[in-house]
Amino acid sequence: MTPPASRSLIPEAPASGWSEWQRLPSAETFSPRVLAEILDGGQAFRWQRTSDVTWLGQFGDGVVRIALTAEGQLAWSSPSSLTAHVGPALVAYLDLARDSRTLADTLPWRSDAHLARCLETFPGLRILRQPFGETLLGFLCSATKQIVQIKQMVALLADRHGAPVLPTTADRSSLANRAAALGDPSTLNPQPSTPFHRLPTWPELAAVSEAELRACLLGFRARYIHQTAQFLAAHPGWLAETEALPYAAAKDRLCSLPGVGEKVADCVLLFGAGRLEAFPVDVWIIKTMAARYGLQGWKPAQIAQFGRVHFGPLAGLAQQYLFAYERAAARPPV
DNA sequence: GTTGAACCTTC
DNA sequence: AAGGTTCAA
């Protein structure tokens, strides 16, 4: 049992029906900026900021709020019915068993001044360990879209095609039973119910038409997701097997899915399978490798090769630091 | 093997 | 123009 976090250190009391704030089992501290980069910097698409230091997010069957204490430590709260499940799930999701600073220290920053600057700028930046299938769905949506738009597509998919996570079916039927016993007609037919829907699973997506997917603002990505869902439905176990494969084999298999090329496959393996050797090459990395490493005119595949050699077995972690730094440099300074 | 256009929609 | 993939030249 994690002890409740000291109430005075948390900016607000938990909402009713939610657990007390609890500390996470990690001594690491985070700045609001680094936490924002972790939760909302393009790894995941289901977090929204609720204040300077609090976030509301979903992954798997979980709904959770995260808060930063005055000392920069993490605390969390979830709907009471989910609390037992969310605690351990969140530790896995944030990959808190690994110390990110120790990990980052093994990167070649001693011989790479630019990397050293990126590490200093985002201390404690870490790679999430998201559910594999959800990560695949998110990055199938990502082609030529900005984070805001990807979040919008994913939110529509969840609202329209994902199962409600709250209240639990048990809660709901007990509510309905009680209401029936009391003869209260208003709760017999609960409203379109809850604000929280999980993302549709791949079997659920297989039952959604391409037209319905297009209605979720997916555009040409609707066909990719539809075809991928059909394939996965015809090959049960394929996704779980892929997740367990070594990096290169897993990437090959992912790239055989419609709409999945090298970049998307690397993102899925990095952010959804903990494969820190994956080095996704997107337009930001192409820019940064050209500007900071002198690789003007290099092709994505060449940059990926350079990245894996130069940054080593944790190239994906380095990639995330470079990515965060380059995007921050491009934004107007606060 | 390489290059370029097409693919949807929205900020 | 946007964090890409695919298909055809």
Side-chain angles (χ1 to χ4, degrees):
Chain A
M1 241 323 182
T2 321
S6 157
R7 185 77 74 87
S8 64
L9 296 179
I10 305 293
E12 42 189 291
S16 102
W18 287 59
S19 69
E20 289 294 322
W21 290 107
Q22 320 234 153
R23 280 287 321 282
L24 280 164
S26 164
E28 290 199 43
T29 59
F30 300 85
S31 66
R33 181 190 194 205
V34 167
L35 183 61
E37 195 63 34
I38 294 168
L39 298 178
D40 202 24
Q43 298 190 53
F45 305 109
R46 298 217 71 196
W47 288 94
Q48 62 181 72
R49 196 197 283 271
T50 46
S51 81
D52 282 351
V53 289
T54 58
W55 293 83
L56 171 64
Q58 287 187 251
F59 55 90
D61 295 311
V63 179
V64 64
R65 302 232 295 142
I66 286 184
L68 225 37
T69 70
E71 295 146 352
Q73 296 176 318
L74 294 178
W76 64 277
S77 166
S78 77
S80 304
S81 62
L82 300 178
T83 301
H85 163 73
V86 165
L90 185 58
V91 171
Y93 180 86
L94 295 172
D95 197 18
L96 291 178
R98 293 205 250 209
D99 181 297
S100 62
R101 287 169 174 79
T102 304
L103 223 48
D105 193 55
T106 72
L107 291 172
W109 57 272
R110 291 170 183 81
S111 55
D112 180 337
H114 179 65
L115 179 61
R117 190 162 24 146
C118 297
L119 296 182
E120 280 169 24
T121 309
F122 293 92
L125 183 61
R126 58 173 51 239
I127 303 293
L128 297 174
R129 175 64 163 93
Q130 303 178 71
F132 195 60
E134 292 190 356
T135 313
L136 174 60
L137 180 57
F139 283 94
L140 271 171
C141 294
S142 71
T144 62
K145 286 292 181 190
Q146 305 189 119
I147 294 170
V148 200
Q149 298 171 291
I150 302 169
K151 286 170 76 172
Q152 189 180 11
M153 297 186 249
V154 163
L156 281 169
L157 282 170
D159 288 343
R160 296 185 184 177
H161 303 291
V165 274
L166 271 182
T168 64
T169 40
D171 293 341
R172 207 181 323 188
S173 59
S174 75
L175 252 183
N177 290 343
R178 198 176 324 141
L182 296 173
D184 177 355
S186 71
T187 48
L188 273 177
N189 193 3
Q191 278 316 12
S193 71
T194 103
F196 298 114
H197 290 241
R198 49 160 295 134
L199 239 30
T201 62
W202 282 105
E204 286 164 351
L205 284 167
V208 178
S209 70
E210 186 182 326
E212 290 175 289
L213 292 175
R214 279 187 187 259
C216 295
L217 311 182
L218 292 177
F220 61 79
R221 303 156 197 83
R223 186 167 50 90
Y224 296 150
I225 290 171
H226 184 72
Q227 291 179 344
T228 291
Q230 301 310 308
F231 175 85
L232 294 178
H235 301 269
W238 191 94
L239 212 47
E241 288 162 21
T242 304
E243 181 178 5
L245 252 25
Y247 167 69
K251 182 172 174 180
D252 276 349
R253 271 171 63 131
L254 284 174
C255 285
S256 75
L257 294 172
V260 179
E262 289 205 36
K263 190 273 179 182
V264 167
D266 274 332
C267 285
V268 173
L269 290 169
L270 181 57
F271 307 133
R275 295 296 150 73
L276 301 196
E277 66 265 54
F279 189 82
V281 177
D282 55 39
V283 297
W284 289 101
I285 293 301
I286 292 173
K287 275 183 207 168
T288 212
M289 296 311 280
R292 322 273 182 187
Y293 292 82
L295 308 190
Q296 295 91 342
W298 286 42
K299 302 287 175 267
Q302 301 174 303
I303 294 175
Q305 163 74 6
F306 177 95
R308 283 188 291 267
V309 173
H310 179 74
F311 297 113
L314 303 182
L317 180 61
Q319 188 269 7
Q320 204 54 23
Y321 279 97
L322 297 173
F323 179 78
Y325 186 95
E326 206 61 36
R327 285 206 322 149
R331 283 194 292 270
V334 186

